[in-house]
Amino acid sequence: MPRQSKAIAFDVDRASLISLRKALPDCVIDVVTGATAASLTRDWNPGTVDLVVVKAGKELAQTLELCRFLVSCGVLGRDAPVVTDSQEETPKTLGLHRRRRNVARRPHSPLLVLVPPSRKSIVADVLKAGAHSCLMLPINAKDVTSMLVHAQAGNQPGRHTLDLERAQTEDRWRDEGGQG
């Protein structure tokens, strides 16, 4: 029996959650409200996850720290409870985390960050913090589906991202524009 897809959405607004559900109709989407890297314990473990979505918060440093935590600690591949969309309250601080070592991250579990249009200047920082891709709010299901297809396809030589997504490997044929 095939495993059901799972996504985790951090602090997404109602409209974004509706778009995520349209884009991922057969996916269980767990919604986490008010979590920060500091509020997640080193033992926090959401289970095997196919997509992690983070809405950029008001404080850039907290958003970047959460992205780095999610990428570096390898939470995109284990099992533990999370706050679901039926629980609207902010989670209590669970304790400071410590970096996990030797935890494998699923290669096709992208981290998507939702960015308000007024803050598009943070996209480069978010990508450097480990996000696979960013979408400007408001999002629509078609954009989410397209991002997920590109993430699952991986890096393909000849597909240039205009620095909106990180290349997974170097494209030997890309011209850097230097002297010939």
Side-chain angles (χ1 to χ4, degrees):
M1 185 164 124
R3 180 185 67 80
Q4 186 171 16
S5 298
K6 180 177 178 181
I8 298 179
F10 287 88
D11 296 316
V12 296
D13 56 276
R14 187 168 298 284
S16 296
L17 184 57
I18 290 169
S19 293
L20 288 171
R21 290 189 196 281
K22 284 180 184 176
L24 310 166
D26 298 327
C27 184
V28 173
I29 301 174
D30 291 329
V31 178
V32 179
T33 304
T36 64
S39 72
L40 300 173
T41 67
R42 63 185 170 96
D43 296 327
W44 180 76
N45 190 340
T48 301
V49 177
D50 299 291
L51 175 65
V52 176
V53 180
V54 173
K55 181 179 175 192
K58 292 179 183 176
E59 295 293 324
L60 177 60
Q62 281 186 339
T63 300
L64 297 177
E65 187 177 351
L66 181 59
C67 290
R68 288 183 193 112
F69 173 74
L70 293 170
V71 170
S72 70
C73 73
V75 297
L76 304 179
R78 296 180 170 241
D79 287 325
V82 295
V83 178
T84 61
D85 37 338
S86 63
Q87 300 167 315
E88 296 287 313
E89 61 188 300
T90 302
K92 294 180 177 70
T93 299
L94 302 173
L96 294 175
H97 64 276
R98 295 182 191 135
R99 293 202 187 271
R100 295 183 193 175
R101 294 184 184 186
N102 301 323
V103 178
R105 178 178 174 201
R106 292 185 44 148
H108 297 297
S109 299
L111 173 59
L112 169 65
V113 177
L114 308 180
V115 179
S118 62
R119 300 188 64 207
K120 61 180 153 183
S121 63
I122 70 169
V123 169
D125 293 330
V126 170
L127 293 173
K128 286 179 187 174
H132 177 272
S133 186
C134 293
L135 289 177
M136 293 295 160
L137 291 170
I139 62 169
N140 64 53
K142 187 175 171 182
D143 291 338
V144 174
T145 304
S146 176
M147 181 281 315
L148 202 50
V149 166
H150 286 292
Q152 290 172 343
N155 186 43
Q156 298 174 358
R159 180 178 152 247
H160 300 288
T161 62
L162 298 175
D163 295 327
L164 297 177
E165 297 175 0
R166 292 181 292 123
Q168 294 173 2
T169 60
E170 182 181 355
D171 182 356
R172 295 181 298 142
W173 298 99
R174 184 172 182 168
D175 183 7
E176 297 299 326
Q179 289 182 318

